[in-house]
Amino acid sequence: MSKLKTILYAATASILAVMPAAAAEWAPERPLEFIVASGAGGGTDNFTRTIQSSISREKLIDTSVVVLNKGAGSGAEAFLYAKQHSGDPHKVIFGTNNVYLLPYVAKLAYSTEDLEPVAALALDEFIVWVKADSPYQTIKDLIDAGKAEPGTLVFGGSQSKDTDETLVALIEQTSGADFKYVPFNGGAEVGVQLAGGHIVANVNNPNENLGQWQAGAVRPLCVFSPKRMDKSEPINDGKGWHDIPTCMEEGLDIETYQMPRTVWLPAGTEPGVKAFYETALKGVSETPEWQDYLKKTSQTATFLTGDELKSFIKKNEDATVGVFKTEGWTVE
């Protein structure tokens, strides 16, 4: 080999050797935008701002972060914003499973392919709650009543064709019961409605009914999780989260119904960008502030990325869309 060829070969080999490292070492070139697919003060907003605070406190990213709320259309505003900024690594989108479920129930100007999943950091649990003095002591009692008095017992929930109504529909499809679903503006309002006796039951997240349970106004029947929730200090009558049976334990054949808290990027970002955010978010998940957040909100800790996250999304999407189709909610 000639001296010139040797030099060119060595130079090319050196370039190829450093390319993967360079791609993996992407870093922001300007302040980041954390886009929240909900209004201020909601669950997704708290999720996002806790992550922002952890990043700032622990110096996990060496640039400033601005949080912007774009919650119109049940979060579709944020996802359309991602589409409009395709390839921009400085826009990070925070949502739930609404990212990939909304296009099934509404005609929207974005599709799931316009976003790239980065991570899921927590799972919201769902519990069937009744009023403390309700005659229904178990989920079986409530279901039997829903069969005996079809269309009369009122289940309250947040919004229409969203996570709460989907779960109530799944309970009906699985058990043969028939309830009347009434939507409200959010979990806090639904909790007040149940405590006041204006509805028979709800499927609020733990944190949404915590205050009413502490006050002895409501009572949990079962949780839609593969296993019981983590142990906690007693909340009411000597019972904590771990004392709530799973719905499978109580004879309702729904093993799991959990909502992921998710982070996304606009599609088309360069190699190394997702790895950068995965590393930063993994760091967040290990901070004391994040552990306090999970404890306060009674969410289940998880950290999913890559193929594991995509597998979770596919399974969750297939199961939920099956409910949509049975109810006739899907759009063409």
Side-chain angles (χ1 to χ4, degrees):
M1 183 181 292
S2 69
K3 185 175 181 180
L4 177 59
K5 286 183 178 180
T6 300
I7 293 171
L8 290 174
Y9 177 82
T12 302
S14 298
I15 292 171
L16 292 174
V18 301
M19 280 179 65
E25 292 171 2
W26 179 88
E29 299 170 352
R30 60 179 186 271
L32 302 177
E33 288 184 8
F34 280 9
I35 311 301
V36 186
S38 78
T44 303
D45 185 59
N46 291 334
F47 167 66
T48 308
R49 293 180 188 276
T50 301
I51 291 176
Q52 178 207 31
S53 176
S54 295
I55 286 172
S56 175
R57 186 187 301 271
E58 303 295 332
K59 297 180 173 55
L60 298 174
I61 295 178
D62 188 23
T63 190
S64 60
V65 177
V66 177
V67 176
L68 301 176
N69 293 88
K70 294 184 179 292
S74 298
E77 180 187 10
F79 311 138
L80 178 58
Y81 186 79
K83 177 181 179 179
Q84 293 167 340
H85 292 84
S86 175
D88 188 339
H90 299 89
K91 318 287 188 186
V92 188
I93 317 300
F94 293 76
T96 61
N97 53 5
N98 53 355
V99 179
Y100 49 88
L101 294 180
L102 278 174
Y104 286 99
V105 295
K107 292 185 177 180
L108 301 169
Y110 85 94
S111 69
T112 307
E113 287 70 28
D114 294 316
L115 297 98
E116 175 71 19
V118 178
L121 281 84
L123 297 172
D124 270 14
E125 303 290 355
F126 288 79
I127 295 172
V128 177
W129 301 86
V130 294
K131 200 167 181 289
D133 60 2
S134 168
Y136 312 118
Q137 298 300 313
T138 67
I139 188 64
K140 184 179 184 302
D141 293 341
L142 183 60
I143 286 171
D144 287 344
K147 293 177 180 178
E149 306 173 60
T152 60
L153 300 183
V154 179
F155 249 102
S158 299
Q159 304 181 350
S160 298
K161 300 179 183 178
D162 205 344
T163 52
D164 287 4
E165 187 173 11
T166 301
L167 178 52
V168 174
L170 179 59
I171 294 170
E172 292 175 323
Q173 292 174 17
T174 302
S175 68
D178 183 9
F179 300 104
K180 180 179 179 180
Y181 180 82
V182 176
F184 295 93
N185 291 325
E189 183 178 345
V190 178
V192 171
Q193 292 293 322
L194 180 60
H198 306 295
I199 59 178
V200 170
N202 68 34
V203 287
N204 268 359
N205 302 137
N207 195 50
E208 291 172 326
N209 267 11
L210 174 59
Q212 286 87 0
W213 191 21
Q214 288 173 325
V218 302
R219 176 165 43 84
L221 295 185
C222 68
V223 59
F224 293 93
S225 180
K227 62 180 182 179
R228 293 195 180 198
M229 297 171 65
D230 291 340
K231 291 184 178 180
S232 68
E233 295 295 324
I235 296 169
N236 182 268
D237 195 26
K239 296 181 179 179
W241 298 119
H242 187 69
D243 297 298
I244 303 172
T246 70
C247 295
M248 284 286 287
E249 285 181 65
E250 295 290 285
L252 178 56
D253 192 20
I254 302 174
E255 181 182 18
T256 182
Y257 189 89
Q258 299 166 308
M259 183 179 73
R261 296 286 177 184
T262 56
V263 183
W264 304 71
L265 283 167
T269 57
E270 297 177 0
V273 174
K274 188 160 70 167
F276 171 86
Y277 286 111
E278 287 175 349
T279 299
L281 293 169
K282 180 63 175 174
V284 167
S285 73
E286 296 169 349
T287 64
E289 184 173 2
W290 183 253
Q291 299 308 314
D292 288 344
Y293 163 79
L294 292 176
K295 184 177 180 180
K296 180 180 177 181
T297 58
S298 302
Q299 294 181 85
T300 297
T302 192
F303 189 78
L304 304 176
T305 58
D307 290 341
E308 191 177 14
L309 175 59
K310 290 180 179 180
S311 176
F312 177 93
I313 289 173
K314 181 67 165 60
K315 184 177 179 180
N316 182 247
E317 183 176 7
D318 289 348
T320 309
V321 172
V323 177
F324 291 169
K325 290 180 177 178
T326 300
E327 295 297 313
W329 295 346
T330 53
V331 296
E332 296 296 330

